[in-house]
Amino acid sequence: MKLASLYSGGKDSTYSLYKAMQAGHEVVVLISMKSKNQASYMFHIPNIDLVKLQAKALGIPLIFRGTEGVKEEELADLKAAIIEAKEKYKIEGVVSGAVASEYQRQRIAKICEELGLKSVCPLWHAEPEEYLSEFLAEGFEAIFTGVAAGGLTEKWLGRQFDSAALQELKELHQKFKIHISGEGGEYETLVTNGPIFKKKIVIEKAETLWREDSGFYLVKKAKLVAK
């Protein structure tokens, strides 16, 4: 089945894309939305412009569109981008990185139903520790680009997502009840390499923005290099 991937550049959307490919689907286009609303219910915000570089690394065309990020109204902007993908790339379905958010899954499913497309959610209700262990074992590389939860301090920003980080997230789950996979917005990630990447991303310049108990790792300059 020809699919469009709703792509934020983070671990969930990247691994869902990978799982869809493993299942035999052909992902022919990425769709990314740049929201002006920092508190968007639907869309990933930190470093979203880097999806353009990730698309090149993956070798997959990208539809990149903006939205004001107004709750519910932003869905019309997403629908327009999916319609564009259907018309231009003849997609038959949409794959997304929904793990536990009914809000996102239901709204994406509704748009797909209206457009006669299938909604594919490879990670839906995946056990967080198991899924993240698989993500790392498959050779994906990612960094933390945003944190907003108890125990996640400024030192996490720009940190490599590895087995040690996963172990600490498990401990923080026990202590603060944060979602291990960050489904509650506890943290954001940026994938820089993986088995489906034809080139890897190297970050050349970045800055940390920290405010009281949350912050972002903002990439200012990055490049693609041979693997």
Side-chain angles (χ1 to χ4, degrees), residues 1 5 10 20 22-23 28 43 46 51 53 65 68 80 97 106-107 116 131 147 165 171 185 207 215 224:
M1 185 163 55
S5 172
Q22 279 192 317
V28 294
F43 306 120
V51 296
L53 199 61
R65 298 290 177 263
E68 292 294 324
Q106 288 179 2
R107 280 153 181 77
Y131 142 53
V147 295
E171 294 168 1
E207 68 177 35
L224 295 180

Side-chain angles (χ1 to χ4, degrees), residues 30-176:
L30 308 176
I31 298 175
S32 299
M33 304 296 295
K34 182 174 183 177
S35 176
K36 293 182 180 179
N37 180 7
Q38 290 289 325
S40 171
Y41 281 77
M42 285 295 297
F43 306 120
H44 177 96
I45 304 298
N47 302 301
I48 189 63
D49 285 296
L50 280 179
V51 296
K52 298 171 185 176
L53 199 61
Q54 289 170 306
K56 291 179 180 178
L58 289 162
I60 302 175
L62 170 68
I63 293 174
F64 187 84
R65 298 290 177 263
T67 176
E68 292 294 324
V70 178
K71 188 177 180 182
E72 298 301 334
E73 291 180 19
E74 62 189 355
L75 297 172
D77 298 320
L78 174 60
K79 185 176 182 179
I82 294 175
I83 289 173
E84 181 180 346
K86 183 178 180 181
E87 293 174 348
K88 187 174 181 180
Y89 295 95
K90 310 305 178 186
I91 62 169
E92 302 163 271
V94 175
V95 58
S96 64
V99 178
S101 172
E102 282 287 357
Y103 182 90
Q104 292 182 337
R105 188 190 68 82
Q106 288 179 2
R107 280 153 181 77
I108 293 168
K110 185 174 185 294
I111 291 173
C112 286
E113 184 180 359
E114 290 170 351
L115 298 178
L117 300 172
K118 185 172 178 60
S119 177
V120 180
C121 302
L123 299 181
W124 185 242
H125 284 172
E127 199 286 316
E129 183 181 343
E130 180 180 335
Y131 142 53
L132 292 172
S133 295
E134 288 178 1
F135 174 83
L136 295 174
E138 292 286 357
F140 285 95
E141 298 173 14
I143 60 171
F144 290 87
T145 56
V147 295
L152 294 175
T153 62
E154 188 175 357
K155 74 173 185 177
W156 284 78
L157 295 174
R159 178 181 177 177
Q160 194 74 22
F161 193 113
D162 54 19
S163 57
L166 178 55
Q167 179 58 40
E168 286 187 48
L169 287 171
K170 288 161 57 179
E171 294 168 1
L172 291 174
H173 169 71
Q174 293 296 324
K175 187 174 182 180
F176 297 103

